[in-house]
Amino acid sequence: MNTGPGAGERRLADYMRRVGEIQARAEETQAQLKALRAHVTSPDRVVTVEMAPGGRLERLTLSQDATRYGPQQLAAVITETIRRGHAEVAEQMQDTMRPLIGDSPAMEFLRDQIDIAQQDEDDEPAAPDDGRIDGEMTAETDEPPAPPQRPHRPPRPTEDDEDDDGPFRSVWGDR
């Protein structure tokens, strides 16, 4: 180990140079991440989506052929195309981050978060396929769907009640 005069300054200068290089790579990676976009089209070319990093939907385009689908069918095609867009932009993010962080614990964490998000999407229950959009009147009854029932709550105490503690019990017990 070099311990001569100026060795400390050289080590510090070398360290600062490496920090500067890492910072420049991080800034370049950040700019690349902001510019990422995934363009995905459904197999039947009816739905096209543009996804940004983080899964933000930037653009949704429907072709004229979208009118041949019922609402639930079209919603399913849109949802599947968005899911594929999420997966593609996530893969692009990993590819962009790999040169900066390599196959480190940080990359493993990123992969885990992407996997969890994709599993959550796969676990979402499918909407019932009754041909209606939520809140749409049916042709058979021309009546709106029944509103959801509220849970039963016990009545609130009136001002005549002899409860000096309001809705709380006394910490001192019954006095």
Side-chain angles (χ1 to χ4, degrees):
M1 185 163 163
N2 189 353
T3 58
E9 287 93 13
R10 284 192 300 275
R11 281 197 310 261
L12 180 59
D14 183 51
Y15 175 78
M16 294 306 289
R17 179 188 53 76
R18 286 186 287 156
V19 167
E21 289 172 358
I22 292 170
Q23 185 175 4
R25 284 192 319 212
E27 289 170 359
E28 180 181 325
T29 300
Q30 184 178 19
Q32 290 172 350
L33 286 171
K34 286 180 181 179
L36 284 181
R37 295 295 180 273
H39 299 271
V40 178
T41 301
S42 63
D44 58 5
R45 307 189 62 75
V46 169
V47 176
T48 301
V49 296
E50 179 181 332
M51 304 298 293
R56 187 177 70 245
L57 177 64
E58 291 277 311
R59 183 170 294 117
L60 168 67
T61 306
L62 303 175
S63 74
Q64 288 295 325
D65 290 336
T67 59
R68 71 178 187 209
Y69 287 112
Q72 294 300 322
Q73 232 180 351
L74 181 58
V77 173
I78 291 170
T79 301
E80 175 60 21
T81 307
I82 289 173
R83 188 195 63 72
R84 289 180 38 233
H86 280 160
E88 184 174 315
V89 80
E91 188 174 320
Q92 289 177 9
M93 287 175 62
Q94 289 181 51
D95 292 345
T96 301
M97 294 292 293
R98 191 168 286 111
L100 182 65
I101 62 176
D103 285 325
S104 65
M107 179 59 82
E108 189 63 34
F109 177 78
L110 177 62
R111 275 191 222 114
D112 289 346
Q113 296 308 304
I114 291 168
D115 290 344
I116 289 169
Q118 289 175 345
Q119 286 173 357
D120 288 347
E121 287 175 1
D122 292 341
D123 294 342
E124 289 179 7
D129 192 9
D130 61 3
R132 291 189 299 138
I133 299 174
D134 287 342
E136 184 179 71
M137 294 183 188
T138 63
E140 298 84 32
T141 63
D142 286 331
E143 293 179 18
Q149 297 294 321
R150 290 186 173 183
H152 174 71
R153 293 186 185 177
R156 290 186 175 184
T158 64
E159 291 183 28
D160 295 340
D161 289 346
E162 295 181 25
D163 185 7
D164 295 335
D165 297 322
F168 305 102
R169 292 193 176 149
S170 171
V171 294
W172 307 110
D174 291 337
R175 287 200 197 188

